[in-house]
Amino acid sequence: MMRVNFIGWHWWMLLGSIQQMLFVSVSRSEGNTVRYQTNEEDGPGTVIGNLAKDMSLGLSYSTRTNFRMMRQFNDSHIRVRESDGELSVGERMDRERMCGRTAPCLVEFDVVNFSKERYALIHVQVEVRDINDNSPEFPHKESVVEISESAAVGTRVPLDPAVDADVGSNYIQSYQISVNSHFSIDVLLRADGVKYAELVLMKELDREIQSSYMVELVASDGGNPYRSGSTKIIVKVTDFNDNSPVFDQSSFSVSLPEDSPVGTVMLDLNAVDADEGSNGEVVYGFGKQVPFEIRELFRVDEKSGRLTLQRPVDFEAKATYEVDVQASDLGANPTPSVCKIIVHVKDVNDNVPEVSITPMTSGAAGVAYISEAADRDSLVALISTLDRDSGINGQVHCTLYGHDHFRLKQAHEDSYMIVTAATLDRERVGEYNLTVMAEDFGSPPLRKILQYTVRLMDENDNAPRFAKAVYEVSVLENNAPGAFIAAVEARDADLGNNGKITYRLLDGVLMGSPVNTFVSLNSVTGAIYALRSFNYEVTKALELHVQAGDGGLPQLQSRALIRLRILDQNDNPPVVVQPVLYKGQAELFLPRDAHAGYAVTQIGATDADEGANAQLSFRMAEGGHLGFSVNRATGKMHASRQLAYDLGDTVRVTVAVSDGGAPSLTSTATLLLSFVDGPVASAAPSPPGGAHAEGLLEWDASVAIIVVLAGSCSLLLLAILLITTTCTRRRRKEKGGGGCGRAGRRRGRGTAKRMRRRRKRRRRRGGRGREARPGRRTPRRGRRACVATRR
């Protein structure tokens, strides 16, 4: 059976990186799943399948194609042949050892089929099928069960189940018992799938006729051929219990002082049973009718029949006790015998007050719990006292010691209450150790002292508290994404969920982006990590707001401010801005006979960093021996001696600009110094090669493109303006009748006459006519259109 699954692009990336040298291009990434079967215990080399054949992968599309196993359950179990993807058994497999009772038992791994053109991912599942190589086994070769001869027909006795490591049909399918007239079996199934048998009595037993039986139980599986296992079961028929134990005496009377210590032996009882075995073995105990009080005060040993004092007795409470002790055998359906014992208590004044403390809320013995939010006079525990003496010796008074936050309040004549006497705060004092003393009024008085603990239960009355309200933290710029920045810590004095703190980064916007795109916060530890690399020149500081909340209901919260300062790194080299450099060079002109100290130029530079990283220093990197020097601090370049160069000489010097970072970053500027005759006018330095037109016209391709586009746009705009103007003039002529017909000629002649009269008047006044003014033109209307006609 075959199933095709498409794998994601992450597989493409993973396999592409592994097989980087083998793949030229990958047009498609596709994953398939193929499943094979093999039997356990198959020998090494047994062929399981062939991937190239079964997946219909042709091998002719490339000169080189390979199959490579990428992941496998056990490298030695299955092998893959690289040439054609043949799968074979690597070492003998034991299904029971590999998978136990898990079904199906699968060995899974991935195979990559790759070539220069493409690759395919194949997920392979090999099912290791079970063979019937294990027989059912019983835990014991022989077992013994007992059934009384008085057992009723249909009585069931569970038998130990057999074990079979195989699964499915190879597992146990049936149980059988050897032929007999008294017993049969019933096969049942447990909830965990294990089959077991119960022995069923089919016929009454008689020990006097036959005291034991032996049957054989056989378990068989469903394999082909099947396997089986057997065990012998010996059934012993036990005797019917027809005799009861007999005491030496049917009743006793004993005297017991009330101050007798615990463990005092009061009486040794003895009873005899005439039966054999367990039917004649006698055990002692109190009869069912004996009240709880007797069982508390006295104890009878089960085997010896010795009656002892288990707790002190009190004459004032009770002077006489009637105790019934019964003797019974260990046989089935025993008939017990009873012995009556009368205990007379002698009065002695030796009882210590008894104290019992019952807390309202308790989780352990001797501990009471109360909420720290409890009001005053809240009940913590109830104290009960008891003195078995009579009269004044039995009157008890209680006192509480330990802490003023609690006090005793009498509830009844012989009971008191422990109540709160002040406001409680678990965070200040979480546990109180109290002492309760009960004392009677006897002479001398007898007292009982108890230590008691009161623990306060937590309430969510404390909000988380940050170690600082404002955290000032720093991180170097150019940090790696995911780098640890800092950790905030809040503490909550409460317990459990009330003190379980979770952290949250409050929503906010930094530089137009959500704050959670800059940093992440671990909700459990409070650790802050950078999600991006910071740039000091872009961002110098960030403010983050973190909230800590506990797990109480309602939740209590607090906030802290994290001021994150980005620290500058020396990641920007100096940039020379003066003189203007072209491709790292600038050409300057100097008098060929400049004197020592002549100011050649001012080297100006900037650095985007700050502090020491932006403190610049200048030095001559090359050409200092040619007669030039530069001021280390200001960057002013001077002639270090009288110059004596010929006209047209050009020298090359290099000035280095370094910042104060560690390590320092350096930039250089190459100056081409040309020498002329006479002083040099102050002018902006030109790029090197300025004497040649070709050098000046060495534009970048982008600049040339911009210039061409700008010129084209200008020409297009000019053409549009000319066309618009021409069309406008034509429309005006058409409206004014400016044609060459008769009317047009009349208008033209009239216009010319008027113009001549105007010129004459201006001449008389001494003025100049319009035609004499430069830049002015004679009106065209009716003139140009009629020139041809007049001519």
Side-chain angles (χ1 to χ4, degrees):
M1 179 179 179
M2 188 180 304
R3 182 168 57 89
V4 178
N5 295 321
F6 289 96
I7 64 173
W9 283 106
H10 60 279
W11 276 111
W12 185 92
M13 297 298 294
L14 175 63
L15 295 174
S17 62
I18 295 175
Q19 307 296 344
Q20 185 176 2
M21 302 303 295
L22 299 176
F23 288 83
V24 174
S25 65
V26 177
S27 60
R28 188 175 64 148
S29 180
E30 188 177 78
N32 307 296
T33 299
V34 61
R35 185 165 180 171
Y36 296 97
Q37 290 182 336
T38 186
N39 293 327
E40 65 171 329
E41 306 298 338
D42 282 347
T46 302
V47 176
I48 301 174
N50 188 287
L51 292 175
K53 179 180 178 181
D54 299 334
M55 299 292 295
S56 299
L57 299 174
L59 301 180
S60 60
Y61 59 81
S62 176
T63 57
R64 178 179 175 83
T65 180
N66 287 310
F67 292 84
R68 182 169 300 175
M69 182 179 292
M70 298 295 295
R71 177 177 57 85
Q72 187 175 349
F73 173 77
N74 191 314
D75 294 338
S76 58
H77 282 162
I78 298 176
R79 295 174 183 171
V80 179
R81 190 160 64 188
E82 290 191 1
S83 60
D84 59 356
E86 181 184 89
L87 305 178
S88 60
V89 176
E91 68 175 18
R92 192 178 301 273
M93 290 180 284
D94 184 356
R95 193 207 64 81
E96 288 74 32
R97 181 174 59 87
M98 294 170 56
C99 301
R101 298 193 59 82
T102 302
C105 181
L106 297 179
V107 179
E108 300 186 63
F109 53 92
D110 291 322
V111 174
V112 175
N113 169 231
F114 61 90
S115 68
K116 292 183 179 180
E117 289 80 13
R118 69 179 187 88
Y119 79 91
L121 176 69
I122 306 169
H123 184 71
V124 181
Q125 295 179 339
V126 178
E127 180 183 358
V128 182
R129 294 183 299 187
D130 181 53
I131 63 173
N132 194 21
D133 57 344
N134 293 279
S135 299
E137 293 183 3
F138 286 94
H140 306 287
K141 294 297 182 182
E142 184 178 292
S143 58
V144 178
V145 296
E146 293 183 351
I147 300 179
S148 173
E149 64 176 334
S150 61
V153 174
T155 300
R156 291 172 172 261
V157 179
L159 303 176
D160 293 333
V163 177
D164 192 337
D166 294 323
V167 295
S169 61
N170 295 327
Y171 179 64
I172 299 171
Q173 300 298 316
S174 64
Y175 286 91
Q176 294 178 344
I177 192 173
S178 58
V179 178
N180 66 91
S181 60
H182 286 79
F183 304 100
S184 67
I185 60 169
D186 188 12
V187 181
L188 303 174
L189 184 66
R190 289 196 327 210
D192 57 0
V194 175
K195 290 185 177 180
Y196 69 100
E198 286 186 348
L199 189 67
V200 182
L201 181 62
M202 304 299 294
K203 185 178 180 181
E204 293 182 352
L205 302 174
D206 189 342
R207 188 179 68 86
E208 286 72 22
I209 297 176
Q210 185 173 349
S211 62
S212 65
Y213 298 86
M214 185 179 72
V215 295
E216 184 179 24
L217 181 64
V218 179
S220 302
D221 60 28
N224 186 16
Y226 73 90
R227 290 173 175 261
S228 63
S230 63
T231 182
K232 292 182 179 180
I233 300 175
I234 299 175
V235 181
K236 289 187 176 182
V237 181
T238 59
D239 182 33
F240 179 68
N241 189 12
D242 53 357
N243 290 288
S244 299
V246 178
F247 282 100
D248 294 340
Q249 293 180 216
S250 60
S251 62
F252 294 90
S253 178
V254 296
S255 179
L256 178 67
E258 67 169 335
D259 60 351
S260 297
V262 173
T264 300
V265 178
M266 301 166 56
L267 191 63
D268 281 327
L269 299 174
N270 183 47
V272 178
D273 194 317
D275 290 326
E276 295 180 354
S278 59
N279 290 336
E281 186 175 350
V282 179
V283 294
Y284 303 89
F286 293 117
K288 295 181 179 179
Q289 73 281 5
V290 175
F292 180 76
E293 179 188 13
I294 301 297
R295 299 175 186 272
E296 285 287 307
L297 293 176
F298 307 105
R299 177 181 179 273
V300 60
D301 188 88
E302 182 180 9
K303 292 184 178 181
S304 66
R306 180 172 296 173
L307 183 64
T308 58
L309 182 64
Q310 185 168 255
R311 281 194 176 185
V313 292
D314 187 1
F315 173 82
E316 289 73 20
K318 192 170 185 179
T320 303
Y321 296 93
E322 184 175 323
V323 181
D324 290 336
V325 177
Q326 68 179 18
S328 60
D329 56 39
L330 298 179
N333 301 318
T335 302
S337 299
V338 179
C339 178
K340 188 179 296 291
I341 303 168
I342 305 300
V343 179
H344 300 280
V345 180
K346 293 183 178 181
D347 184 31
V348 177
N349 190 17
D350 60 351
N351 289 291
V352 176
E354 297 180 12
V355 179
S356 174
I357 303 179
T358 305
M360 293 299 297
T361 304
S362 177
V367 179
Y369 291 88
I370 188 171
S371 171
E372 63 174 327
D375 296 330
R376 291 191 179 188
D377 287 334
S378 296
L379 177 61
V380 179
L382 178 67
I383 300 177
S384 299
T385 64
L386 175 63
D387 195 320
R388 294 185 179 274
D389 293 327
S390 58
I392 194 172
N393 293 332
Q395 297 178 5
V396 180
H397 174 73
C398 285
T399 309
L400 181 67
Y401 303 93
H403 208 281
D404 294 337
H405 281 69
F406 301 91
R407 67 184 181 89
L408 278 181
K409 184 176 181 181
Q410 190 163 7
H412 301 285
E413 182 179 353
D414 56 355
S415 61
Y416 296 81
M417 295 185 297
I418 301 177
V419 297
T420 57
T423 302
L424 305 176
D425 186 356
R426 190 204 62 82
E427 287 71 36
R428 295 181 60 187
V429 181
E431 182 176 293
Y432 298 88
N433 293 318
L434 307 179
T435 301
V436 177
M437 186 182 71
E439 185 178 37
D440 61 25
F441 292 93
S443 181
L446 300 177
R447 63 177 60 95
K448 181 69 175 289
I449 298 176
L450 291 180
Q451 300 292 330
Y452 204 75
T453 301
V454 177
R455 292 176 183 168
L456 302 186
M457 294 185 296
D458 184 56
E459 296 289 339
N460 192 27
D461 56 350
N462 292 277
R465 291 179 177 268
F466 281 96
K468 303 176 183 177
V470 179
Y471 288 80
E472 301 282 350
V473 297
S474 303
V475 61
L476 283 173
E477 66 171 331
N478 304 319
N479 59 286
F484 173 79
I485 297 177
V488 296
E489 182 182 12
R491 296 183 179 275
D492 195 316
D494 296 323
L495 297 177
N497 286 334
N498 295 334
K500 186 177 181 180
I501 298 175
T502 56
Y503 301 91
R504 185 171 71 90
L505 192 63
L506 296 180
D507 295 336
V509 177
L510 298 176
M511 301 175 60
S513 299
V515 67
N516 56 12
T517 63
F518 289 84
V519 297
S520 66
L521 175 66
N522 188 302
S523 62
V524 177
T525 64
I528 302 174
Y529 300 91
L531 293 180
R532 61 173 68 178
S533 181
F534 295 110
N535 187 348
Y536 174 81
E537 287 71 35
V538 175
T539 306
K540 292 181 171 56
L542 300 174
E543 285 193 354
L544 312 172
H545 295 272
V546 176
Q547 176 180 286
D550 58 29
L553 290 174
Q555 186 186 61
L556 300 180
Q557 303 168 346
S558 63
R559 297 183 180 183
L561 174 65
I562 293 92
R563 290 176 178 162
L564 177 61
R565 187 162 56 97
I566 313 301
L567 299 180
D568 183 43
Q569 276 191 324
N570 193 25
D571 56 345
N572 292 283
V575 178
V576 177
V577 297
Q578 183 183 354
V580 179
L581 302 181
Y582 180 76
K583 295 184 179 180
Q585 297 181 349
E587 185 175 19
L588 302 177
F589 295 95
L590 301 178
R592 64 186 182 86
D593 57 351
H595 57 81
Y598 179 83
V600 177
T601 187
Q602 170 69 55
I603 307 297
T606 61
D607 195 315
D609 296 319
E610 292 189 0
N613 297 330
Q615 293 179 359
L616 305 181
S617 61
F618 305 83
R619 60 181 175 83
M620 296 295 297
E622 296 180 6
H625 64 284
L626 299 177
F628 301 96
S629 63
V630 64
N631 187 288
R632 180 178 180 83
T634 64
K636 291 183 178 180
M637 185 175 174
H638 298 83
S640 59
R641 55 181 170 82
Q642 179 70 37
L643 302 182
Y645 289 95
D646 295 332
L647 290 175
D649 286 350
T650 300
V651 298
R652 178 189 296 266
V653 297
T654 301
V655 178
V657 184
S658 301
D659 58 29
S664 176
L665 300 179
T666 302
S667 298
T668 61
T670 300
L671 304 180
L672 302 179
L673 305 179
S674 299
F675 298 94
V676 298
D677 195 8
V680 178
S682 175
S686 61
H692 305 283
E694 295 80 4
L696 292 174
L697 296 177
E698 291 180 354
W699 292 352
D700 291 339
S702 60
V703 176
I705 292 173
I706 293 172
V707 172
V708 171
L709 291 176
S712 301
C713 293
S714 300
L715 292 175
L716 179 61
L717 180 61
L718 181 60
I720 293 172
L721 292 175
L722 289 175
I723 293 172
T724 304
T725 304
T726 303
C727 293
T728 303
R729 288 174 178 173
R730 285 180 181 177
R731 285 196 298 269
R732 288 177 180 176
K733 289 177 183 179
E734 292 173 358
K735 292 179 180 180
C740 293
R742 184 177 233 178
R745 288 195 297 271
R746 290 173 183 171
R747 294 190 188 96
R749 288 194 295 267
T751 302
K753 290 179 182 180
R754 286 195 295 273
M755 293 301 297
R756 285 195 293 270
R757 286 196 296 267
R758 290 175 183 172
R759 285 196 293 270
K760 289 179 181 180
R761 284 196 297 267
R762 292 192 186 99
R763 293 192 190 103
R764 294 190 193 103
R765 292 195 297 266
R768 297 179 61 183
R770 178 177 295 181
E771 66 279 3
R773 297 179 185 177
R776 299 296 298 273
R777 301 176 63 182
T778 304
R780 295 181 179 180
R781 184 175 182 181
R783 178 184 177 189
R784 180 176 297 180
C786 300
V787 169
T789 303
R790 289 200 303 271
R791 289 179 181 177

